[in-house]
Amino acid sequence: MARNSHERRAERQWLLILLPSLVLLLAFVIYPAIYSIYLSFTNEALTGAAALRPRFVGLRNYTRLFNDAKFWNSLFVTFVFVIGSAVVGQFALGLISAIALRRPIRFRRVFSSIILLPNAAPEVVAGFMWISMLAGGDNATLSRIVSTFGITPADWLQVFPLSMIIVVNTWRGIATAMILLTAGLSTIPAEIYEAARMDGATPSQMFRRITLPLMMPTILLYMLISAVSTIAVFGLVYALTRGGPGGATEVVSIYIYNQSFTSFQLGYGAAVAVVALVISLVLGIAYVRAMKVEV
Amino acid sequence: MKKTVLGGLCAILLSAVSTLAQAETIRIANHGQAGIDAMKSTVERIEKKYGVTVEVIEYPAPDKDYLTKLLTELGAGNAPDLFSIPTTAAVADMVEAGYLTPVTKALKAWDGYANLYDVAKELAVSPDGETYVMPFMLGIQEIYFRKDVLEKAGISTEQPKTWQELLDRAAEIKQKTGAYGLLFPAGVSWGSGAFDEGFQHLLVGSKTPQLVDADGKLDLNGEGIKDVFNVYKELIDKDLMPTQPLLGPEPWVVPKYQMFPAGKLAATTCGSWCYIFDWGRESKNPIPEVTKVVGTWTVPGESSGQYVLANLAAPWAVNSKSANTELAIKALMEIGSIETQVSYAARIGNIPASKDAAKNADFQKLTELVRIHAAAGNGVFLKQASGFGTVSEGVARATEALLRKETDAAGAQKILVDYVKETLGDDMVK
């Protein structure tokens, strides 16, 4: 059926409204992504002859990357970091906080504010704050705490570097998890719990049979946002360890930075960034597909 | 219509005036409060002498971050007119990238040129035969050791004559005092220091003392490189060198600022600045009577010879895309003055490259540096080549693998060669 002039005008208006967003998206997301893909096929560098006369090197950066043990190490470290801090730490503690704060407890607002506090500090400031807590020496906060229990103080960022950055990132992400999961919890009608209680369901059964299944779309949405944003975490890890000791915390974002801005190999850094982008895309598609599954 | 034309003309005029005004301003990149303070009187002098405004832009203090920001801006074409380069190893690559203005003619015509130590002049010449930097300060490095700790334990403080003697001395220190015997900066976190303050010391006294062949190719398969990595390996395997702190984000803090002053590390490579900043009057953890209790050894060669390493300390250069190159070059020559050299020596602890600095009354007050300045002309160095920045990073990676006990000397050399080949291409390496 032919569209009338009113529909066409409405469509043009919609396009006009969307135009600024489209332009911004093109300028700051699509174009940089395409340019990164182009860079990944060159030997572009920040210094040396390649900075003056970059040339096309075909798949050389990708061949190098797949044979680079440090790259694989960074992927492994990122995987553990995402599972540890986003999937397990932030999700579990965020869900516990959301459920706990849903109940009528005293000082609920105070607790909510405390949980939201980690997001008030900028990433790098939070990193430096945690350095003072986790540093070596008898005066560091954690060392002083553990020594009261008779445990030998340590330089925590040296001895347990990956575990420590997982703890710090978990601390920082609980608030986001809690907010999202609280929103999910609020969509579950109270009547369902009431009916279940009348049928004799235990709290554990209600959690497994009602809360979790009905929360699944929210949980998957949270997982998507959390996993992708954790892959991109940079400032916190850079402030805490700079990827050390010995690459133990060199997540993929730090690896990209090190290749591009410490070794000054922009082409190779771009190749790593493209691979990281592909991984994030695959993850995103997987979650989006999972979210379509009926609960 | 008239109004529009008039408006357009006004805009063009304003833009022209603003461009002219900008031409009378030179922008200088500086990093670290000490560096900014050292340049203060020079900046005032340049402004007065040439009637220009000098805009000093403060950059991040750590050398690694400073270089990253500087190179990013140079690459983008919006870097300041004048800047210092934190490591000599970066100069040749920056020349290749076309970032620096050649200053050979101006430098040779400058009245302070003849007075520079030959080693400074030679260090400033790039592989293409041109000079792009003002070689006004030298970094003179040796091995600094705790004389008091060694004497107390009955260990000889005599100059070790070979690498083996140096290793034996380090082992004796460990055995008799429990302190680590010797530190060579190593690992990725130390950045260019792994090359500048560690690897180079030993390489100049090895069987293959240079990294560049006659054709300008990087010669990284030499026997000397493997022997140097073997020294690291022995120090690490026998626990004569602290390794764990070197893997952290600021690897110099624990060994240099804590262990050495506490006597838990007895010897380390360092430069003249250590007598002032690391352990001297400007230190947060000073060693009392530092020049008496901390002695120096030259770095022995593998089987003979003694070496004092000389580097250009943060040489200044002019941006090739400077809006006012002529003025920037004039300002560069002012930076080379003895007054600025002494100001830098007092605040940073490096050595003036002019011989006449010795006659300067203010420099004579820097008693820790006077003796080192007198001998600065004997410093040795590696011939510079493009790709040195990559070699420096490769050395950092190779020594990190040694620190983590993941490889032996031959493996470390392979890491270095592979990294440089992968980064620069096979044809750059002999």
Side-chain angles (χ1 to χ4, degrees):
Chain A
M1 198 170 67
R3 289 182 306 168
N4 62 29
S5 63
H6 175 74
E7 278 175 335
R8 280 200 296 272
R9 199 166 57 238
E11 198 172 88
R12 273 203 300 274
Q13 277 171 350
W14 275 115
L15 273 173
L16 214 64
I17 291 165
L18 284 175
L19 196 64
S21 309
L22 277 173
V23 169
L24 289 174
L25 200 69
L26 268 170
F28 297 109
V29 180
I30 310 289
Y31 172 72
I34 292 171
Y35 188 66
S36 293
I37 293 169
Y38 158 75
L39 269 187
S40 71
F41 293 108
T42 72
N43 69 341
E44 176 83 54
L46 269 181
T47 190
L52 191 63
R53 290 176 296 275
R55 58 189 165 83
F56 185 75
V57 293
L59 289 171
R60 199 180 88 182
N61 287 329
Y62 289 95
T63 318
R64 176 182 163 194
L65 188 146
F66 288 110
N67 292 309
D68 184 350
K70 277 181 163 275
F71 165 70
W72 290 110
N73 172 66
S74 79
L75 279 191
F76 174 72
V77 169
T78 308
F79 177 74
V80 176
F81 181 60
V82 170
I83 297 290
S85 64
V87 178
V88 178
Q90 291 173 7
F91 171 68
L93 293 176
L95 188 61
I96 290 168
S97 311
I99 291 171
L101 291 173
R102 207 184 169 207
R103 289 158 187 257
I105 53 168
R106 286 180 76 186
F107 308 118
R108 199 171 107 176
R109 285 188 179 171
V110 176
F111 286 125
S112 300
S113 307
I114 289 171
I115 290 171
L116 285 168
L117 270 179
N119 276 32
E123 220 176 23
V124 175
V125 174
F128 285 127
M129 196 180 80
W130 275 94
I131 285 177
S132 74
M133 291 181 68
L134 303 172
D138 299 335
N139 292 326
T141 316
L142 184 59
S143 291
R144 286 171 77 166
I145 293 168
V146 298
S147 57
T148 60
F149 297 102
I151 300 168
T152 315
D155 188 342
W156 305 98
L157 285 169
Q158 286 281 318
V159 185
F160 307 107
L162 189 52
S163 309
M164 290 300 118
I165 64 163
I166 287 172
V167 167
V168 177
N169 196 49
T170 299
W171 164 83
R172 198 167 160 74
I174 291 174
T176 314
M178 188 193 77
I179 292 166
L180 262 169
L181 296 171
T182 302
L185 277 175
S186 66
T187 61
I188 304 173
E191 295 81 21
I192 300 178
Y193 289 109
E194 233 175 273
R197 219 171 283 128
M198 286 173 75
D199 288 342
T202 62
S204 156
Q205 282 172 327
M206 284 195 280
F207 179 74
R208 282 186 288 114
R209 302 278 171 86
I210 301 169
T211 309
L212 268 186
L214 291 176
M215 285 271 292
M216 203 46 84
T218 314
I219 289 172
L220 286 171
L221 177 68
Y222 162 73
M223 289 290 183
L224 167 67
I225 296 169
S226 173
V228 173
S229 62
T230 305
I231 289 173
V233 165
F234 175 80
L236 199 66
V237 181
Y238 192 74
L240 281 165
T241 61
R242 294 200 168 204
T249 57
E250 196 172 38
V251 289
V252 79
S253 57
I254 300 274
Y255 187 70
I256 293 167
Y257 176 84
N258 283 339
Q259 291 308 317
S260 305
F261 299 106
T262 303
S263 297
F264 309 122
Q265 303 302 308
L266 293 179
Y268 186 62
V272 184
V274 168
V275 172
L277 180 71
V278 169
I279 292 170
S280 295
L281 275 175
V282 169
L283 209 63
I285 291 165
Y287 276 124
V288 168
R289 286 204 169 171
M291 279 159 74
K292 282 182 185 164
V293 174
E294 279 193 4
V295 184
Chain B
M1 182 65 185
K2 262 185 186 175
K3 276 183 184 173
T4 315
V5 172
L6 206 64
L9 282 172
C10 282
I12 292 167
L13 197 69
L14 269 174
S15 154
V17 168
S18 113
T19 310
L20 279 174
Q22 275 177 3
E24 294 308 306
T25 299
I26 49 172
R27 292 160 67 228
I28 286 184
N30 213 336
H31 67 303
Q33 197 52 51
I36 290 167
D37 291 345
M39 279 288 285
K40 208 176 167 197
S41 62
T42 311
V43 165
E44 287 168 3
R45 205 169 60 239
I46 293 168
E47 287 184 325
K48 209 172 162 186
K49 195 167 173 181
Y50 298 107
V52 294
T53 304
V54 177
E55 188 190 342
V56 180
I57 306 159
E58 190 174 353
Y59 274 50
D63 286 352
K64 215 171 176 175
D65 296 337
Y66 169 72
L67 190 62
T68 297
K69 184 169 165 59
L70 182 65
L71 289 175
T72 308
E73 289 188 352
L74 284 165
N78 60 353
D81 302 294
L82 270 170
F83 44 81
S84 67
I85 301 169
T87 165
T88 316
V91 175
D93 285 329
M94 290 172 81
V95 169
E96 283 260 313
Y99 294 151
L100 310 183
T101 301
V103 294
T104 317
K105 231 172 148 181
L107 191 66
K108 286 188 175 167
W110 171 57
D111 56 8
Y113 182 74
N115 198 244
L116 291 172
Y117 277 119
D118 287 342
V119 64
K121 291 179 198 168
E122 289 165 34
L123 270 162
V125 178
S126 280
D128 65 359
E130 290 275 0
T131 299
Y132 294 83
V133 294
M134 164 55 75
F136 75 130
M137 299 301 294
L138 289 167
I140 302 295
Q141 299 181 62
E142 296 174 272
I143 294 173
Y144 287 67
F145 69 96
R146 288 294 300 261
K147 213 190 293 181
D148 55 341
V149 172
L150 268 63
E151 280 170 352
K152 197 175 165 194
I155 301 166
S156 169
T157 57
E158 290 293 305
Q159 166 72 46
K161 293 187 178 64
T162 62
W163 288 357
Q164 196 50 56
E165 274 191 35
L166 189 64
L167 289 167
D168 291 345
R169 193 75 53 86
E172 193 183 353
I173 290 166
K174 187 75 197 267
Q175 189 205 342
K176 289 185 177 168
T177 68
Y180 289 107
L182 183 59
L183 169 74
F184 281 98
V188 173
S189 302
W190 210 307
S192 58
F195 182 76
D196 291 341
E197 298 172 41
F199 182 79
Q200 280 196 83
H201 281 276
L202 293 167
L203 190 77
V204 291
S206 74
K207 287 172 198 148
T208 51
Q210 292 294 336
L211 289 175
V212 194
D213 70 6
D215 303 329
K217 273 197 172 186
L218 296 166
D219 185 0
L220 304 177
N221 290 300
E223 201 182 341
I225 293 178
K226 195 172 90 181
D227 293 344
V228 169
F229 286 138
N230 246 328
V231 173
Y232 282 85
K233 175 98 179 122
E234 192 166 339
L235 285 169
I236 292 160
D237 284 355
K238 292 184 177 170
D239 201 24
L240 305 178
M241 169 169 141
T243 54
Q244 199 58 35
L246 270 59
L247 295 167
E250 291 185 316
W252 46 84
V253 173
V254 171
K256 285 215 168 162
Y257 304 153
Q258 293 171 16
M259 295 173 100
F260 193 85
K264 290 178 181 170
L265 168 68
T268 175
T269 60
C270 208
S272 52
W273 59 87
C274 282
Y275 269 148
I276 298 177
F277 292 94
D278 291 41
W279 318 306
R281 57 189 149 83
E282 298 290 335
S283 168
K284 284 180 185 159
N285 192 13
I287 300 172
E289 296 189 278
V290 65
T291 49
K292 282 187 187 161
V293 303
V294 176
T296 59
W297 291 322
T298 57
V299 182
E302 186 166 4
S303 53
S304 64
Q306 290 179 29
Y307 302 89
V308 175
L309 203 65
N311 275 320
L312 292 183
W316 282 74
V318 174
N319 184 352
S320 62
K321 289 183 183 152
S322 167
N324 196 339
T325 309
E326 206 179 311
L327 187 61
I329 291 176
K330 282 179 187 166
L332 184 73
M333 298 305 134
E334 287 298 324
I335 290 172
S337 71
I338 287 182
E339 190 189 333
T340 313
Q341 291 182 26
V342 174
S343 177
Y344 257 84
R347 288 173 177 84
I348 312 277
N350 283 317
I351 301 297
S354 288
K355 290 173 234 169
D356 276 356
K359 296 175 195 160
N360 182 287
D362 287 334
F363 183 66
Q364 284 165 0
K365 288 178 197 160
L366 306 171
T367 49
E368 306 94 330
L369 306 183
V370 171
R371 177 189 62 82
I372 303 171
H373 177 259
N378 303 325
V380 294
F381 56 91
L382 291 181
K383 197 173 139 195
Q384 299 297 300
S386 55
F388 256 40
T390 307
V391 174
S392 171
E393 178 66 18
V395 166
R397 286 169 178 239
T399 51
E400 175 138 326
L402 289 167
L403 285 175
R404 300 178 74 189
K405 298 187 180 177
E406 290 172 346
T407 190
D408 58 8
Q413 186 169 20
K414 189 175 180 310
I415 289 170
L416 168 64
V417 173
D418 288 350
Y419 177 74
V420 176
K421 278 186 174 177
E422 277 167 1
T423 309
L424 302 176
D426 290 355
D427 51 337
M428 280 291 287
V429 181
K430 187 180 169 186

